Amino acid sequence: MTDNATYLLIGGNGKTGRRVAERLVAHDLPVRIGSRSGQPAFDWHADPATWAPLMRGATAAYVTYYPDLGIPGAAPAIRAFAEVAAEAGVRRLVLLSGRGEEDAAASEEMIKGVGLEWTVVRSTWFAQDFTEHFLLPPVLSGVISLPTDVPEPFVDLEDVADVAVAALTEDGHHGRTYELTGPHLVTFAEAAALISEASGRPVRFEKVTPAVCTERMIADGVPVEEAEALTELFARILDGRNAHVTGDVTAVTGRPARDFVTFVRDAAATGVWNS
């Protein structure tokens, strides 16, 4: 992008968005955050009229959709956003998506053919789900309860942010779909054992029904809509379809993807899993 580019981050206060913002700010690039608490406000669901004012003057946008790109209603919302963005003069759009989600793939199609440069960043489960999201309370309680235990190549959010920033700021990413993974497969039971060893606290995995999984997430403070969406995702995509790694982090950044074992060691050192 040109030196006078302005970067709009929808979900810029979220797990990936704030990391993208930190990197852009560190390079003295102008950043505009889109959130419901921002001024002007941005709201995916309640008031689409809030979108255009936020986009004016922006040249590139990083887009995350809450609660998940695969839920009903996401695809038309993404299409409407892309059309408004193009009309407002946004030239480049980077969309965070989910790996192996058919419904999310439908949303991905919505950013194509509206006159924008586009890049799709498909992510597997985040390593930081164990420190910043729905898997932290189970770790602290000592039991990670999920309906399945297939291997996953957990990706570090720092890698996701690095790839997103490259797609936002560099040429050569238009029309590309990147699937981001860590370098190794790890089951949730193995993740629990690694966290237990690194943190010194007992943590184990327990396979439960989807209904119990949802109930426990809600009890841990996950919003009902998000808990139901997560459980539905578990039922659909934690079936082994994503049980392989890719080299896309390295292809974009020029360095190896961060390893889950290293993530666990570094996270434990911060005290995040202390009582």
Side-chain angles (χ1 to χ4, degrees):
M1 299 294 285
T2 60
D3 291 339
N4 61 353
T6 295
Y7 297 90
L8 170 62
L9 309 181
I10 302 300
N13 294 324
K15 291 183 292 299
T16 63
R18 64 180 175 82
R19 288 175 166 87
V20 171
E22 289 167 359
R23 285 157 170 76
L24 295 173
V25 170
H27 288 88
D28 295 322
L29 296 172
V31 171
R32 187 180 302 165
I33 302 298
S35 69
R36 284 177 293 179
S37 61
Q39 294 295 328
F42 180 92
D43 194 314
W44 276 114
H45 310 288
D47 190 3
T50 62
W51 301 355
L54 190 66
M55 296 181 194
R56 294 191 187 110
T59 47
Y62 174 67
V63 179
T64 64
Y65 185 86
Y66 179 84
D68 186 83
L69 201 61
I71 68 169
I78 293 295
R79 181 67 177 194
F81 178 90
E83 291 173 345
V84 172
E87 292 173 0
V90 175
R91 301 197 301 274
R92 181 174 294 176
L93 191 153
V94 178
L95 178 68
L96 180 67
S97 186
R99 190 171 182 236
E101 298 182 42
E102 295 91 345
D103 292 335
S107 292
E108 295 170 8
E109 291 300 312
M110 297 297 102
I111 65 173
K112 304 173 184 179
V114 297
L116 295 167
E117 295 181 27
W118 60 266
T119 306
V120 173
V121 177
R122 287 180 185 161
S123 176
T124 190
W125 298 100
F126 302 142
Q128 281 81 358
D129 285 338
F130 293 94
T131 56
E132 301 178 20
H133 196 208
F134 71 102
L135 291 175
L136 175 57
V139 169
L140 296 179
S141 72
V143 183
I144 298 172
S145 305
L146 294 171
T148 183
D149 192 30
V150 298
E152 280 292 308
F154 296 103
V155 66
D156 196 297
L157 278 171
E158 306 301 330
D159 288 337
V160 177
D162 285 344
V163 170
V165 169
L168 281 170
T169 62
E170 301 171 2
D171 294 331
H173 302 285
H174 171 51
R176 301 294 300 272
T177 296
Y178 297 118
E179 291 204 2
L180 307 188
T181 74
H184 304 295
L185 294 172
V186 182
T187 67
F188 287 92
E190 290 169 342
L194 288 168
I195 293 170
S196 183
E197 180 180 3
S199 66
R201 64 184 303 130
V203 183
R204 63 181 176 85
F205 171 81
E206 179 183 26
K207 187 175 181 179
V208 297
T209 65
V212 170
C213 179
T214 301
E215 290 171 2
R216 291 187 179 178
M217 279 193 285
I218 293 171
D220 285 334
V222 178
V224 173
E225 181 183 14
E226 186 174 356
E228 292 174 346
L230 284 168
T231 301
E232 196 271 335
L233 278 178
F234 296 149
R236 281 195 294 113
I237 71 171
L238 285 180
D239 58 2
R241 72 181 67 182
N242 293 329
H244 60 278
V245 303
T246 75
D248 283 358
V249 169
T250 299
V252 175
T253 66
R255 57 161 180 76
R258 292 172 173 87
D259 185 84
F260 187 76
V261 173
T262 303
F263 161 77
V264 169
R265 180 199 65 202
D266 293 346
T270 70
V272 67
W273 295 316
N274 293 350
S275 297

